[in-house]
Amino acid sequence: MPPAQFAVFGHPISHSLSPTIHQAFAQQFGIALEYRAIDVPPADFTATVRRFFADGGRGANVTLPHKAAAFALADQHSVAATRAGTANVLSALDDGRLAAHNTDGDGMVRDLAERHRVDLRGHDTLLLGAGGAAHGVAWRLLDAGAQSLTIVNRSPEAADALADAIGEPARVRTRYWDDLASIGSYDLIVNATSAGVLGAALQLPFSLLGNRAVCYDLSYGQAAAGFLGWAKAAGARHACDGLGMLVETAADAFALWHGQRPDTEPVYQQLRRQA
Ligand code: NDP
């Protein structure tokens, strides 16, 4: 029997670590699988994904810029995917329909709580960015016990839309990017912008950092260097990149597809050594 087929769809996708991560997880259980990185432009995404599953594909990861399209094409949606309005995981159901999941929030919170030992309860949290990834993590930060969530986005309409969708005005507020110097300090600052990936520097005031604050950048590698450098210079207790989140979100996808949860630590350590 040929190995089960999995893939990650993105554009571009050549940089993706997902094939390496899923093969490493599969080895832990002696599972044979094929996991490909498929570069597909937005216009061809839906047809290409449908063909992949019609040809026997079992599961797919989805990354930029296709997460909203992945949500739209699925027949079933998890609570996290419905909240975010985007999906980073698609699974084939037994009847041939497709289920959409969003594992970004769970992955980030598990990385923070279990790998970095950060208890999010009671934290005043600043979320920079209101794009797809911010939608994935915002609710989960509140579920994990964040006392407040302040969302600041370069385009204020997107921050307002996210706050409105969450619908918890007592805990969630928005502020303008231009006012960052006057909005106080935070226990946790999450950078969910793509500025680093795009090679743009964020100009952030040190006044944002509360005493013993934690800073977390969803991006990793060189893309996270600017924000993490700022966090360390400002005296952050922890300054973490999103490599652990990437591995944890992949583990959630693996568990959905294979019914077994892999040990993420050796895979994380291997990628960290290679970074
Ligand atoms: P989106 O394109 O959906 O959103 C990008 C966000 O970044 C928007 O809020 C945008 O603001 C903001 N932004 C872009 N450039 C700048 C800038 N120069 N200054 C300030 N804000 C800026 O991307 P995603 O939300 O999907 O991804 C965001 C980041 O998270 C990426 O770096 C991605 O790699 C990372 N990520 C990591 C994951 C992991 O597992 N570690 C998982 C998912 C994402 P505006 O609305 O004004 O354009």
Side-chain angles (χ1 to χ4, degrees), residues 237-248:
R237 173 164 58 106
H238 284 306
C240 319
D241 73 5
L243 186 65
M245 169 180 171
L246 180 78
V247 178
E248 297 303 327

Side-chain angles (χ1 to χ4, degrees), residues 5 49-57:
Q5 304 285 316
V49 169
R50 290 206 184 283
R51 201 175 321 119
F52 170 78
F53 281 104
D55 290 346

Side-chain angles (χ1 to χ4, degrees), residues 15 63-64 67 88 104 108 128-135 137 152-159 177 191-203 216-220 223 241-250:
H15 64 283
T63 186
L64 282 175
K67 289 183 178 183
N88 63 343
D104 281 342
M108 188 189 102
L128 299 170
H135 277 70
V137 303
V152 180
N153 194 51
R154 185 178 56 177
S155 320
E157 308 78 27
W177 194 278
N191 179 20
T193 75
S194 54
V197 170
L198 299 173
L202 292 179
Q203 303 295 333
Y216 194 96
D217 196 324
L218 267 55
S219 63
Y220 45 86
D241 73 5
L243 186 65
M245 169 180 171
L246 180 78
V247 178
E248 297 303 327
T249 58

Side-chain angles (χ1 to χ4, degrees), residues 67 72-73 116:
K67 289 183 178 183
L73 74 75
H116 301 294

Side-chain angles (χ1 to χ4, degrees), residues 95-162:
D95 60 7
R97 294 181 308 145
L98 294 180
H101 314 273
N102 190 313
T103 61
D104 281 342
D106 278 353
M108 188 189 102
V109 166
R110 193 173 318 104
D111 184 44
L112 266 171
E114 296 179 12
R115 182 163 292 110
H116 301 294
R117 306 272 172 226
V118 175
D119 182 348
L120 295 171
R121 285 176 297 179
H123 280 48
D124 287 315
T125 301
L126 175 64
L127 179 60
L128 299 170
H135 277 70
V137 303
W139 276 269
R140 198 60 190 80
L141 287 165
L142 293 165
D143 290 347
Q147 176 162 285
S148 69
L149 183 67
T150 301
I151 307 168
V152 180
N153 194 51
R154 185 178 56 177
S155 320
E157 308 78 27
D160 289 340
L162 176 54

